Amino acid sequence: LRRVLPEDVRDAIEGDLHELYVRRRSGSGTTRAQLWYWWATLSLAARFAQSRLAETLSHVLGRDAVPSALDFTLGVRMLRKYPGLALVGGMGMAVATALGAGSFEFFNSYLYPDLPLHEGERVVSIINWDVRRGTDDPHILRDFAVWRDEAKSLADVGAFRTVRRNLIDSTGLSGLVSVAEMSAAGFRVAQVPPYRGRALVDADERQNAPAVIVISHDVWTERFNGDPDIIGRTVRLGRVAHTVVGVMPKGFAFPVNHRYWVPLRADTAAYPAGDGPALKAFARLAPGVTRGNAQAELTLIAERRAEARRETHARFVPRVVNYGDILFETAGNGSMIVVIQTVLPMLLVLVCLNVAMLVYARTVVRTGEIAVRTALGATRDRIVMQLFTEALVLSLLAASVGLGLVAVALRFVNGVLDEGGVPFWVSPGLSPSTVAYALALALLGAIVVGVVPALRATRGQLRTALSSLSGGSKPQLGRTWTAMIVTQVAVAVCTLPPAMLMGRHWVSQALTRPGFPADEYLSADLRLEREDNGVVAAADAQVELRKTMRASQSALVEGLEADPRVAGVTFGAGIPGYHPHELVGFDNSPLVRGARVARIGTDYFKVLGVKLVAGRAFRSIDSALPTARPVIVDRTFVDQVGLGSDIIGRRIRFPLWSNGRWVDPAQIESREIVGVVEDFPAGNIGVDDPGDTRATLYEPIAPGELQTVTLFVHVRGTAATFATRLLAIAAAADPTLQLRDVQSVERAYALERRWMEMATLALVLVVGSVLLLSAAGMYAMMSFIVSQRRREIGVRAALGGGARHILTSVLARAALQLGIGVLAGLVLVVVVDRLAIGGELLSRTGLIVIPVTALFMIAVGMIAAAGPARYGLRIQPTEALRSE
Amino acid sequence: VSHHGLGEFEQMVLLAIVHLGGESYAVPIVDEIERRTGRSVSRAAVYVTLRRLEEKRLLSSWLGDSTPERGGKARRHVKLAAEGARALREARQMADRMWHGVSAAMLRTR
């Protein structure tokens, strides 16, 4: 209120409000009086802000250019009077605003955050940019040490990586947690003192120092029930016991969303340059130093190192970037973000131009009303302002719907992005700057939708406009609109089929059921916790790891099979349906086919209930073979190859395409197809792209062979209820065995489907609004053009022209325009198909979708043209002639 | 709207001040309008109107003493100016002239 009230009345109004508040408090209680006070303050602030804005506008633009309350009322009335236009235009603008405001919110809150830390703007992220590969290199252990030791412009430099560990407290297994292995400098960069105990210190980073851990306030209250003696208690992360040395205050989650911190103990000397664990570095600028100064110093340091060791250092350039970049695998995407931020508002402008055409058609219909207003003394500015305000009402409505869509999408993204929570600097809900941005977009939209048609419609002379009231000549639109119709049809024909193809595929995926009782199977990703620095390069270390993994996996399977609720246990790489695609070649044949390659345990088919159709199933001995293990294929694979039952015994080689190049088949071992199974799971589950095959090829793997496998437990009853038991059995088998995503297979599919559903919803909204706008815009233009010729049609009829002949000539012209549009659209489709989609569109599905879209647009156009033409024919010849 | 630019709401505010003895402040003015018209009035609209009327020199205003029940803030008193009284008289005359000769029967719609 203080900000918007004029100074001369501020104190008096505050006094009045206080006086009324005191009066109400004694009458109806404190709470109601307080509510009233806030409401009164807000409404006063809004009213004065509006009156201030109006004053400013009238100073800048002149008195006529200030929208009045009546203009807004008229705007609302217009929405009611033309509900079709309001719905179609509003929906298009809402979707476009949602895309613009959504990306703005995302980039602003995630990438360009105001860090809620002391002098947060001085905290930056540092990356090592690989000039040759055009990406940042995470193996920065050595560089980090150099930055830390040499850069004077950085007060503190820290690094971290996120690891997952089984946290085990005195009660047994508590589950898998994300832990920040962070240099002690992190706590100095954040400048947040611990709530209890101490933060990590440099001495903790020494290789032989005792293992310590700092926990978050949440963890302290939730997992340790706010134990007052928490400092000094031990918790185990995997096999290693850590002493709790500190509790951080509520809300602290630096560097991203962390709740556990252990010291980063990476021995720089143990790794060659450019090797070591993948780390992220951050720093706080030294007092008085700008980001530019820091960048200059780091560049200088890098150049000096590059001179000394050209072969390893020349291609890396350190970059001081926004702290938000720490979130992403590839940092420094600034230019791409600028492009997105420019393109999305352009999309809004495009949509608005479409709506503007509709509004223009409506404005021209209102020429008479405008003329009368002008005759009564309204200036052009006044009329333009009125039309602008009408458009503003529509665009504000669209912006609020758009913001609603953004809020829903944000909730979804934040929910999915990380189970550990969103980054500490992201506050939930829409930020005020996003709301302001959406309002700015609404203003931009209103200018395009309202002012452009208004200027065009009010350009003519008053006399012309008035004469139109009595049936004189009307504004001409000519070739511009013909071009617009052609563009409209072409764009629809070109953009809708690919979108429909994608949408159809996604919908079919979302509706597909797996064809087996997925809710009876519990799945979990299984991996062995590696408590080293994550680099196991030596061959013997790999062998050792496999041996341990095999032993742990077997112990787990044994433990599970001993449980009476378990009907069977097996494993594979990924959940059924979601497997990598490979190119497969046949021996003695030029045949090459794509297939999903599923790597599975030998009892996979038995446990998951997949029926064998021909040949034999896998045997345990198959996975024990060091090379040339047999494979089994599914029905779709057989159908695609077209060999029928002859496929058993055929030999194949894969992958023919690896690391972006063809592999010589002679270099790959050949495998024998020993069996055929039914398609599993049913439908298109796991086929993300309509162009991908669903043919599947199975190869056997032995326990321990993969460092991460998916475990499948067939449970008697509902699988989800067995999750806790599974965790307990796993902890008993091996405390370092990590189980991630413990959920029923049904739920795993449901999560995949959720993305599909969101994507489908977004696609339907975007495509639906494009199609509606396109069709409505074309309808308006077409019927408008033909209605311009209504009198001509009447005159021709009066002069003896046959009705059919006249109608044909009018429709022929419309058909020509539509035909050119369809043709242009088809050319675009072919180009898009060749360049981007790879021929999929012009296959069977596309051949149905494209003509349907073209026919739809033609039908809309012809109906739009036929209506006014028939009306023209009904005009009495005498009336038509008299008007001429 | 009269040639002084007196709108309907402005007239109401000025008349409320007249009823309150030609001098008052915002809180009783709002109460007076609500009591006489039976309609609820936007407080913000009254403040904005008072300010506008003062700019048109139809009112004059001054700050009173501050009191504890007002949180230590002073009242802003307003007084009907001579110009304001004339504007009201003209508005009344104009309305009277328009009403002259209009009977109840003439207002009955068919």
Side-chain angles (χ1 to χ4, degrees):
Chain A
L1 189 60
R2 286 205 144 260
R3 282 195 182 188
V4 293
L5 283 188
E7 211 173 324
D8 56 329
V9 292
R10 193 180 292 157
D11 276 0
I13 292 178
E14 281 184 14
D16 286 356
L17 284 180
H18 197 273
E19 183 183 331
L20 289 163
Y21 167 72
V22 172
R23 209 195 284 173
R24 275 167 195 267
R25 197 177 51 187
S26 58
S28 47
T30 308
T31 315
R32 294 183 80 164
Q34 275 172 347
L35 281 175
W36 171 87
Y37 186 87
W38 284 112
W39 182 85
T41 308
L42 282 176
S43 59
L44 271 168
R47 182 70 174 81
F48 272 97
Q50 189 224 334
S51 105
R52 271 202 154 182
L53 184 71
E55 262 174 42
T56 316
L57 281 178
S58 77
H59 278 304
V60 177
L61 303 170
R63 210 178 153 69
D64 281 345
V66 180
S68 66
L70 183 67
D71 290 337
F72 282 97
T73 316
L74 282 174
V76 175
R77 205 173 290 164
M78 276 298 165
L79 295 185
R80 285 211 300 260
K81 199 169 169 192
Y82 297 89
L85 194 152
L87 192 74
V88 172
M91 186 174 140
M93 287 162 79
V95 171
T97 311
L99 288 175
S103 72
F104 181 86
E105 168 75 29
F106 181 79
F107 290 132
N108 246 18
S109 59
Y110 279 82
L111 289 183
Y112 302 107
D114 290 328
L115 291 185
L117 298 173
H118 174 65
E119 292 186 338
E121 72 285 353
R122 303 190 63 75
V123 178
V124 292
S125 171
I126 303 174
I127 58 167
N128 216 15
W129 189 254
D130 185 335
V131 180
R132 211 173 297 163
R133 283 169 48 214
T135 170
D136 70 319
D137 180 66
H139 305 290
I140 52 166
L141 188 58
R142 286 200 164 202
D143 307 83
F144 157 61
V146 171
W147 299 334
R148 183 186 57 197
D149 300 338
E150 296 183 19
K152 301 279 176 290
S153 55
L154 304 173
D156 270 303
V157 186
F160 81 100
R161 65 172 181 150
T162 306
V163 291
R164 307 257 284 188
R165 294 278 180 264
N166 277 333
L167 179 105
I168 302 157
D169 58 18
S170 52
T171 61
L173 184 68
S174 293
L176 199 58
V177 295
S178 285
V179 179
E181 271 187 10
M182 184 171 82
S183 34
F187 292 93
R188 295 196 295 272
V189 168
Q191 294 194 353
V192 176
Y195 176 71
R196 282 186 178 222
R198 64 169 176 88
L200 297 176
V201 293
D202 291 338
D204 293 327
E205 290 177 29
R206 283 203 306 268
Q207 293 296 330
N208 51 0
V212 291
I213 186 169
V214 173
I215 58 173
S216 73
H217 194 276
D218 287 354
V219 171
W220 177 55
T221 52
E222 287 163 20
R223 196 156 258 180
F224 299 99
N225 296 321
D227 178 8
D229 300 321
I230 184 73
I231 305 301
R233 248 178 89 165
T234 31
V235 288
R236 266 171 59 204
L237 291 181
R239 292 188 196 282
V240 185
H242 288 68
T243 308
V244 178
V245 293
V247 178
M248 292 311 287
K250 215 171 168 55
F252 182 84
F254 190 84
V256 180
N257 52 7
H258 296 88
R259 289 151 43 110
Y260 299 88
W261 297 268
V262 297
L264 177 68
R265 286 177 185 165
D267 182 8
T268 321
Y271 301 97
D275 207 343
L279 295 175
K280 297 269 184 186
F282 50 78
R284 183 177 275 274
L285 299 175
V289 170
T290 64
R291 195 182 279 201
N293 300 146
Q295 177 64 64
E297 191 189 9
L298 289 188
T299 309
L300 210 68
I301 292 173
E303 280 169 3
R304 209 168 54 226
R305 291 180 74 207
E307 271 170 32
R309 293 183 177 185
R310 184 151 297 280
E311 73 289 358
T312 49
H313 290 76
R315 64 191 173 113
F316 293 111
V317 183
R319 283 188 184 170
V320 179
V321 295
N322 264 319
Y323 187 77
D325 273 347
I326 217 157
L327 274 183
F328 294 87
E329 292 286 316
T330 303
N333 294 322
S335 53
M336 189 193 77
I337 292 164
V338 171
V339 170
I340 294 176
Q341 291 286 60
T342 321
V343 166
L344 288 176
M346 287 305 294
L347 181 76
L348 176 75
V349 171
L350 276 179
V351 169
C352 288
L353 278 175
N354 240 320
V355 181
M357 277 190 275
L358 293 177
V359 171
Y360 180 54
R362 180 180 79 180
T363 311
V364 171
V365 172
R366 290 166 64 193
T367 311
E369 173 206 324
I370 293 170
V372 171
R373 281 168 170 268
T374 312
L376 289 176
T379 61
R380 189 182 180 205
D381 284 356
R382 185 82 273 286
I383 288 169
V384 170
M385 186 43 67
Q386 184 207 326
L387 295 174
F388 165 75
T389 314
E390 285 173 16
L392 188 64
V393 170
L394 177 66
S395 68
L396 282 176
L397 196 73
S400 15
V401 174
L403 280 175
L405 289 175
V406 173
V408 171
L410 268 185
R411 193 177 291 179
F412 175 79
V413 170
N414 287 349
V416 168
L417 206 67
D418 195 333
E419 60 197 31
V422 293
F424 72 93
W425 60 84
V426 174
S427 46
L430 289 173
S431 66
S433 56
T434 304
V435 176
Y437 183 75
L439 288 179
L441 287 183
L443 202 66
L444 175 73
I447 290 171
V448 178
V449 171
V451 176
V452 175
L455 288 178
R456 251 198 98 113
T458 54
R459 199 171 49 182
Q461 293 295 315
L462 173 64
R463 204 162 49 83
T464 320
L466 280 173
S467 72
S468 79
L469 280 177
S470 56
S473 67
K474 286 195 173 175
Q476 295 298 311
L477 296 153
R479 264 171 278 173
T480 323
W481 279 39
T482 305
M484 281 178 173
I485 289 177
V486 170
T487 316
Q488 203 69 266
V489 177
V491 167
V493 170
C494 158
T495 55
L496 290 176
M500 280 169 81
L501 198 68
M502 203 68 203
R504 200 188 71 109
H505 179 75
W506 285 345
V507 168
S508 86
Q509 271 227 352
L511 294 177
T512 305
R513 289 291 166 267
F516 71 102
D519 60 330
E520 290 176 13
Y521 290 86
L522 194 65
S523 69
D525 285 346
L526 204 67
R527 63 179 289 171
L528 208 57
E529 184 173 334
R530 294 187 303 192
E531 287 170 356
D532 55 76
N533 279 323
V535 180
V536 187
D540 52 342
Q542 284 284 359
V543 171
E544 190 58 36
L545 198 70
R546 275 189 187 193
K547 226 166 86 185
T548 324
M549 181 71 175
R550 188 183 313 139
S552 306
Q553 202 177 323
S554 304
L556 173 62
V557 171
E558 256 174 52
L560 283 168
E561 281 172 346
D563 193 289
R565 283 189 63 196
V566 174
V569 185
T570 187
F571 61 93
I575 55 168
Y578 293 85
H579 310 291
H581 287 248
E582 305 285 8
L583 277 182
V584 181
F586 283 76
D587 279 12
N588 310 319
S589 159
L591 262 182
V592 172
R593 286 286 181 271
R596 301 186 285 190
V597 176
R599 310 180 75 189
I600 57 167
T602 48
D603 49 1
Y604 183 88
F605 296 133
K606 197 180 92 192
V607 174
L608 286 158
V610 185
K611 285 199 189 77
L612 190 72
V613 178
R616 67 168 177 87
F618 287 130
R619 301 171 187 140
S620 322
I621 188 79
D622 292 335
S623 68
L625 294 170
T627 55
R629 291 174 185 169
V631 294
I632 289 176
V633 295
D634 70 355
R635 263 184 205 275
T636 306
F637 187 93
V638 177
D639 293 346
Q640 279 187 5
V641 176
L643 286 173
S645 57
D646 288 347
I647 198 137
I648 306 288
R650 294 294 296 256
R651 300 191 77 84
I652 57 171
R653 291 169 197 263
F654 64 90
L656 292 182
W657 178 266
S658 173
N659 292 330
R661 60 188 179 82
W662 285 97
V663 185
D664 176 11
Q667 306 283 317
I668 317 169
E669 58 184 13
S670 92
R671 321 273 201 96
E672 186 189 349
I673 298 175
V674 294
V676 178
V677 289
E678 64 179 2
D679 287 347
F680 178 78
N684 280 332
I685 286 179
V687 187
D688 288 337
D689 198 308
D692 287 346
T693 178
R694 57 138 297 120
T696 314
L697 186 153
Y698 296 90
E699 73 166 313
I701 49 165
E705 194 171 330
L706 299 181
Q707 282 173 13
T708 304
V709 287
T710 309
L711 185 80
F712 300 100
V713 186
H714 189 190
V715 180
R716 295 190 172 93
T718 313
T721 56
F722 192 72
T724 328
R725 180 83 190 115
L726 170 63
L727 286 174
I729 294 173
D734 180 352
T736 62
L737 206 51
Q738 296 186 350
L739 272 74
R740 302 177 187 199
D741 300 331
V742 182
Q743 58 195 356
S744 71
V745 177
E746 172 73 51
R747 178 152 171 77
Y749 284 145
L751 287 178
E752 293 287 344
R753 274 205 304 274
R754 239 172 90 192
W755 282 109
M756 292 286 167
E757 283 158 8
M758 273 310 275
T760 311
L761 182 70
L763 192 79
V764 165
L765 277 176
V766 172
V767 173
S769 49
V770 166
L771 179 66
L772 267 177
L773 262 178
S774 213
M778 203 189 59
Y779 186 94
M781 284 187 288
M782 198 51 115
S783 61
F784 186 78
I785 287 179
V786 177
S787 69
Q788 295 288 297
R789 297 176 61 199
R790 219 165 54 196
R791 193 157 291 108
E792 173 209 324
I793 295 167
V795 171
R796 283 171 68 175
L799 294 176
R804 176 178 287 187
H805 180 73
I806 295 170
L807 204 60
T808 315
S809 85
V810 171
L811 292 184
R813 196 166 148 185
L816 183 70
Q817 290 166 338
L818 295 167
I820 296 173
V822 167
L823 212 64
L826 285 178
V827 172
L828 281 172
V829 164
V830 174
V831 173
V832 168
D833 194 42
R834 286 286 141 80
L835 291 182
I837 308 173
E840 174 63 23
L841 204 58
L842 294 175
S843 67
R844 272 176 308 179
T845 326
L847 290 181
I848 300 168
V849 176
I850 296 169
V852 167
T853 316
L855 281 176
F856 175 74
M857 294 305 279
I858 290 177
V860 170
M862 294 306 268
I863 291 169
R870 287 166 62 110
Y871 181 65
L873 282 174
R874 283 206 297 272
I875 294 178
Q876 289 299 316
T878 46
E879 187 192 324
L881 285 173
R882 197 184 312 129
S883 74
E884 287 302 299
Chain B
V1 177
S2 80
H3 72 277
H4 275 289
L6 262 196
E8 185 196 3
F9 195 68
E10 288 174 334
Q11 279 188 47
M12 267 199 239
V13 171
L14 287 177
L15 285 169
I17 298 170
V18 174
H19 282 296
L20 291 165
E23 184 185 314
S24 190
Y25 68 105
V27 176
I29 294 174
V30 172
D31 293 345
E32 185 68 17
I33 299 175
E34 288 187 343
R35 195 175 62 80
R36 285 185 176 271
T37 60
R39 292 198 316 223
S40 75
V41 174
S42 153
R43 200 165 291 281
V46 172
Y47 286 117
V48 172
T49 309
L50 284 175
R51 204 152 176 266
R52 195 167 52 234
L53 290 172
E54 196 181 349
E55 278 168 6
K56 289 184 185 173
R57 298 178 187 283
L58 305 182
L59 289 177
S60 58
S61 78
W62 69 98
L63 283 177
D65 296 330
S66 53
T67 52
E69 70 269 19
R70 291 176 53 84
K73 312 279 184 188
R75 274 182 191 150
R76 188 166 199 90
H77 293 274
V78 290
K79 188 180 176 188
L80 187 69
E83 190 70 9
R86 196 164 67 223
L88 272 178
R89 270 197 304 276
E90 278 180 15
R92 169 87 183 255
Q93 283 164 6
M94 206 181 286
D96 284 348
R97 279 199 294 275
M98 288 307 290
W99 278 102
H100 184 73
V102 177
S103 65
M106 290 165 80
L107 290 175
R108 224 170 278 136
T109 52
R110 261 171 284 176

